[in-house]
Amino acid sequence: MTANTPETWVRLDQAQLGVAIARHARFRRGTANGARANLAFHDLSGLSLAGADLSGADLTGALLKGIDGRGINLGDAVLYGADLRLAQLQKADLSRTDLRGCCLRGADLTGAVLELANIREGSLAKLDQENRISFEASPAELVGATFKGADLTRARIAGTLAMQADMTDAVMVGAKLARVDFRNANLTGVVLEGAELSEVNLSGATLHGAVLKGANWRNSRMQGADLMGAVVDAQILSIADGAKNLPRPAGDFSISDLLRAHGLWIRTQGQQGKRLELTGFNLAGLELPGVDLGGAVLTNCAMERANLDGAVLTVVDLTMSDLREANLRNCDLRAATLRRTFLADADLTGAVLDSVRLNERAGNRLLSANLERARLWNACLRDASLRRARLTGAELTRADLSGADFADADLRHAILTGATLDRTRFHGADLTDCRGVELPHPSGNPETKGAGGK
């Protein structure tokens, strides 16, 4: 490969790059005077490629430091050994892109799509003191890169350095990861269902609220990793020696005694008894239908398949708890906090998640239910009421929202893809950048804010 490479990178200015992009666009359309962009071993550092379509282009060994590539389409492109340090690639399309041996140190790929991308070892282009190009075998480098909300579904990542990378809420469903170094990385909310992980180093990584169940783990390390609120299964627990904040068994206390003390705390307005406060316990299969748990704190608890049918859960704090397949039918969840709570396949039919007005001592203000970043995949919210609820970034993928009321709710950046919206009401709701909901004229309601979700 090195025998046919030039001795130096070819430097382009912005105008020359614009010509290459225009010719590539004509090539993609099949019109006259088009030509595939061949930008291999070109120096485009600091130039703007924002919104450009360079899908299928050849940028092998290109120098792309600090480029503005926001919204660029690089699907199926070849960036083998490219230098993308500090590149701005927010919302870029890198589907099926060859990123072997590339350097993405400090790059920003917030919201980027990297489905089926190839981020494995390769040979990185280097410039020696005589300004000559050579290749040096090197892992792909993601150190300090930002992948917030990025889609890495079925991506192949191997032999990669990703220390201190920010993968917050990245989707890595079905991805194949081998020998990836995620030490001290931020993987808050990352989804790894169906992923295959072999010899992955997660020592010291933050995995708050991450969905780790359903992944295949082999010879991976988690020493010092923080699994607060992570959704786990038996396999992950078997390799999680040395990890922090795993759910603890609830055998050291009597739930009945705690409930009696909490009931007295409610009846005496806090003068007697004791508020129910449990953090980080395994309460799977908990049976408390119809019980008054108003004001309780149940954070970072594993409550899979809990039965809380008809329970009073006003102002309860369930932050980062695992409530998958839970029965929450007809629950009073007014002003509840469900931030980053995992509610996949939960039943919230007829549940009330409206706001409450606090008393004068608390300022006589409205306190809304908080479901920010909650995951309600395949959940049932038929005829539920979520008036004024905060659902920023919530994921209601394939949820049944038939008859649900989202009046004046905050649904910015929420995902409703595949949701059932029969008779669903969005009067006055903020749907800015909400995906999966289309409302007519332009919102079906002149008072609906930010209408026209994607």
Side-chain angles (χ1 to χ4, degrees), residues 154-170:
R154 294 181 291 163
R156 290 169 291 168
I157 309 174
T160 303
L161 302 175
M163 292 87 77
Q164 300 177 341
D166 188 348
M167 311 286 290
T168 301
D169 294 317

Side-chain angles (χ1 to χ4, degrees), residues 147-183:
F147 288 84
K148 289 182 179 179
D151 183 357
L152 291 110
T153 300
R154 294 181 291 163
R156 290 169 291 168
I157 309 174
T160 303
L161 302 175
M163 292 87 77
Q164 300 177 341
D166 188 348
M167 311 286 290
T168 301
D169 294 317
V171 177
M172 304 178 79
V173 174
K176 294 185 178 180
L177 296 91
R179 305 179 311 284
V180 181
D181 192 344
F182 278 123
R183 281 178 295 165

Side-chain angles (χ1 to χ4, degrees), residues 224-308:
D226 189 347
L227 301 184
M228 180 180 292
V231 180
V232 299
D233 57 17
Q235 184 173 164
I236 185 68
L237 293 176
S238 70
I239 61 104
D241 286 343
K244 301 184 295 185
N245 290 318
L246 286 167
R248 294 169 287 166
D252 296 335
F253 55 82
S254 166
I255 193 70
S256 299
D257 292 343
L258 295 178
L259 288 173
R260 279 192 290 272
H262 185 74
L264 183 59
W265 178 80
I266 292 174
R267 292 192 298 274
T268 62
Q269 298 184 334
Q271 298 303 306
Q272 299 178 48
K274 186 178 181 182
R275 182 186 195 178
L276 177 61
E277 296 185 59
L278 295 173
T279 297
F281 283 96
N282 187 351
L283 304 173
L286 186 68
E287 287 281 342
L288 292 176
V291 172
D292 189 347
L293 294 173
V297 176
L298 296 163
T299 56
N300 184 27
C301 287
M303 300 174 69
E304 181 181 358
R305 298 184 306 279
N307 180 12
L308 296 163

